[in-house]
Amino acid sequence: MNTTNRKMLQNHDDVLESIAQKIDITESLEEKARTRYQSVGEWLDREDSTIRRYSPEVYPQGSFLLGTVIRPVGDADAFDIDLVCKLRADKRHFTMASLKNIVGNELFEYSKYHRMQKYPKDGRRCWTLEYSDNAKFHMDILPALPNEKDYQDLLEFSGYRNLANDREIVQEAIAITDKKNPKFFNYTDDWPISNPKGYAVWFKSRQAEVINNLKRSIMEREIIYFSIEEIPDHKVKTPLQRAIQLLKRHRDTMFIGRSDKPISIIITTLAAHAYNGEVTISEALRTILKLMGCYIENRNGTYWIQNPVNPNENFADKWAENITKASDFFDWLKRAQRDFGTYLTDDFTVINHALKESMTEITLAKAIPSIALFAPTGLSSSNAGLEEAKRIMNQGGQTRPWLQ
């Protein structure tokens, strides 16, 4: 290891932070994505837009909103940026089909105006805008309507009164479209519900003190900010966010080439529950990997991972349909505990074979240029899973890095 790296990388957390930075979305690509979805919002709200009267609002959901985005394993692959397009209208004025169509028509006009190579793709719930290959991302845009009253009534009826009275969460609820819903073409109050912004409020609450402390540090360094409130959330990365990014990359590599990997919302929810305000990535990982399994319930033989902002929803509902999904998750958790646990109990300069395999040696080489000097001699990277990861990284082939 050279002198520079010795000075820069002084402990496990320096190494883990360096790895996390390399699998994170770059600032330039993040800014490009923000610019593009803001452009879509401006188009939908332009003077001659057919939906301008509904005050369309476009905002991110999922990993992009939570700050837990990771790069696809294949460098040639594209990110999927998940967005919501919410119209200020009532469900009496639209069917799911008509809402999806009116938003889709405007997106078609947007793609033509900007001379995009492909027209928007009509998915089950979303419209997908596919940018050119060099843009490195697609946008999945979910048409939606406000749904605060029905959401609140549902929580009240189900006995979750405290949550129903949490206005910061409830006011963000939305009704969404779904082509597989039997009432897709009908005027009805019975729409699928979602609350990505409400979930983000809960997720932020699990790390609020740490976020504020990190923002104070930024404010002390950068005189352009005069208060914590002025600093955007995406300017900070907490130990919880970094731990989730590392766990998701570990998962992606373990399930390389497979579409049935544990979904990100489950990993994110369990990690956020387990997180206890740790101020370092290493401590956050130790706590999360030790405790995240404790937040999986068994309700009369059914695995249940509760949506924290809609307790009626089970994030593990697909586990009942396919038991291998449960065994895959527990196999992954056991391996993550082993791989990260082995590294965290050894000297920080020793990247053990299991971690090299799960993070991929290529990623580690980018994060730590002198990686070859970190590992004890004799460790081989000839494992078939690692070779497959290398092949896909070189050729591309994995899209949608954070499914659902």
Side-chain angles (χ1 to χ4, degrees):
M1 191 194 315
N2 60 37
T3 305
T4 302
N5 276 336
R6 284 188 183 277
K7 186 177 296 185
M8 291 176 59
L9 304 175
Q10 300 179 4
N11 51 46
H12 289 100
D13 288 288
D14 289 345
V15 173
L16 293 171
E17 173 66 26
S18 183
I19 297 170
Q21 287 177 5
K22 289 302 178 184
I23 63 176
D24 199 354
I25 187 172
T26 64
E27 288 186 17
S28 61
L29 186 54
E30 182 178 16
E31 184 56 36
K32 181 186 290 186
R34 292 182 190 280
T35 300
R36 293 290 174 86
Y37 78 69
Q38 288 168 359
S39 169
V40 172
E42 290 168 1
W43 174 266
L44 298 179
D45 197 37
R46 74 194 188 286
E47 188 171 346
D48 58 345
S49 168
T50 59
I51 60 177
R52 187 183 188 194
R53 64 185 182 275
Y54 301 116
S55 302
E57 178 189 4
V58 176
Y59 59 84
Q61 63 170 327
S63 300
F64 197 81
L65 177 61
L66 301 176
T68 58
V69 174
I70 60 171
R71 299 168 183 246
V73 173
D75 285 342
D77 294 331
F79 295 87
D80 288 324
I81 306 299
D82 296 320
L83 304 172
V84 172
C85 173
K86 182 170 73 173
L87 306 189
R88 294 290 175 182
D90 193 278
K91 284 182 281 188
R92 293 173 298 177
H93 303 144
F94 287 100
T95 66
M96 284 178 258
S98 64
L99 176 64
K100 196 155 190 286
N101 287 338
I102 197 172
V103 172
N105 289 339
E106 284 297 334
L107 294 176
F108 268 88
E109 294 301 317
Y110 176 86
S111 67
K112 288 192 292 184
Y113 181 83
H114 289 277
R115 298 180 180 179
M116 298 177 67
Q117 295 178 357
K118 298 180 181 179
Y119 287 132
K121 181 181 177 181
D122 185 4
R124 174 178 171 179
R125 299 184 180 94
C126 304
W127 291 100
T128 299
L129 283 176
E130 298 190 19
Y131 289 87
S132 60
D133 292 339
N134 61 3
K136 289 290 187 179
F137 59 83
H138 309 309
M139 287 185 179
D140 289 337
I141 302 173
L142 175 68
L145 299 175
N147 202 34
E148 177 181 350
K149 182 64 167 60
D150 289 347
Y151 191 80
Q152 187 173 40
D153 289 346
L154 175 64
L155 293 175
E156 286 273 10
F157 179 79
S158 303
Y160 302 107
R161 184 164 298 174
N162 289 340
L163 188 56
N165 292 327
D166 189 335
R167 179 159 176 74
E168 190 177 9
I169 288 178
V170 171
Q171 68 181 351
E172 303 294 355
I174 54 176
I176 63 174
T177 62
D178 185 344
K179 290 199 296 187
K180 289 192 176 182
N181 190 291
K183 299 178 180 179
F184 183 69
F185 295 100
N186 302 337
Y187 285 95
T188 177
D189 284 332
D190 187 17
W191 288 43
I193 61 175
S194 187
N195 197 352
K197 276 192 175 181
Y199 182 94
V201 169
W202 171 80
F203 184 76
K204 184 176 180 179
S205 74
R206 297 296 304 148
Q207 50 187 335
E209 185 176 350
V210 174
I211 290 174
N212 286 337
N213 289 337
L214 289 171
K215 287 186 176 182
R216 286 191 190 96
S217 298
I218 292 175
M219 195 169 62
E220 292 171 0
R221 297 194 311 268
E222 303 181 21
I223 60 174
I224 61 173
Y225 298 112
F226 297 98
S227 68
I228 290 176
E229 290 73 22
E230 291 182 6
I231 304 174
D233 286 347
H234 68 263
K235 287 287 186 180
V236 301
K237 276 291 191 289
T238 66
L240 172 59
Q241 290 168 311
R242 287 307 197 199
I244 290 171
Q245 288 178 309
L246 292 167
L247 292 175
K248 285 165 62 173
R249 170 48 63 94
H250 183 281
R251 176 233 21 217
D252 285 352
T253 307
M254 178 173 169
F255 290 87
I256 196 81
R258 293 173 55 182
S259 61
D260 57 346
K261 62 188 178 184
I263 60 176
S264 292
I265 192 62
I266 286 180
I267 294 174
T268 301
T269 300
L270 295 177
H273 273 305
Y275 181 68
N276 195 34
E278 289 78 10
V279 297
T280 65
I281 303 173
S282 59
E283 288 302 318
L285 277 172
R286 286 189 181 98
T287 299
I288 289 168
L289 287 169
K290 179 181 178 181
L291 299 178
M292 66 190 301
C294 300
Y295 293 92
I296 302 173
E297 300 177 59
N298 187 323
R299 298 186 180 181
N300 299 318
T302 299
Y303 287 114
W304 194 282
I305 301 172
Q306 184 173 281
N307 180 342
V309 298
N310 180 13
N312 295 295
E313 182 178 6
N314 177 17
F315 286 146
D317 57 347
K318 297 294 191 297
W319 291 13
E321 302 170 10
N322 184 351
I323 192 61
T324 61
K325 288 184 177 295
S327 60
D328 283 343
F329 174 84
F330 289 112
D331 287 346
W332 165 77
L333 178 57
K334 184 176 181 180
R335 187 176 299 184
Q337 289 169 334
R338 180 202 70 186
D339 294 351
F340 287 105
T342 300
Y343 173 63
L344 292 174
T345 55
D346 209 336
D347 187 282
F348 82 94
T349 63
V350 178
I351 307 295
N352 55 291
H353 181 55
L355 192 63
K356 287 179 70 175
E357 180 182 329
S358 61
M359 289 292 104
T360 76
E361 192 169 354
I362 295 174
T363 298
L364 292 175
K366 292 178 180 178
I368 313 163
S370 58
I371 185 63
L373 300 180
F374 275 59
T377 58
L379 288 185
S380 170
S381 61
S382 61
N383 179 276
L386 180 54
E387 290 303 314
E388 175 69 359
K390 287 182 179 180
R391 183 188 68 78
I392 289 181
M393 289 182 72
N394 289 329
Q395 299 180 7
Q398 179 190 330
T399 58
R400 306 189 64 78
W402 54 92
L403 293 172
Q404 277 84 345

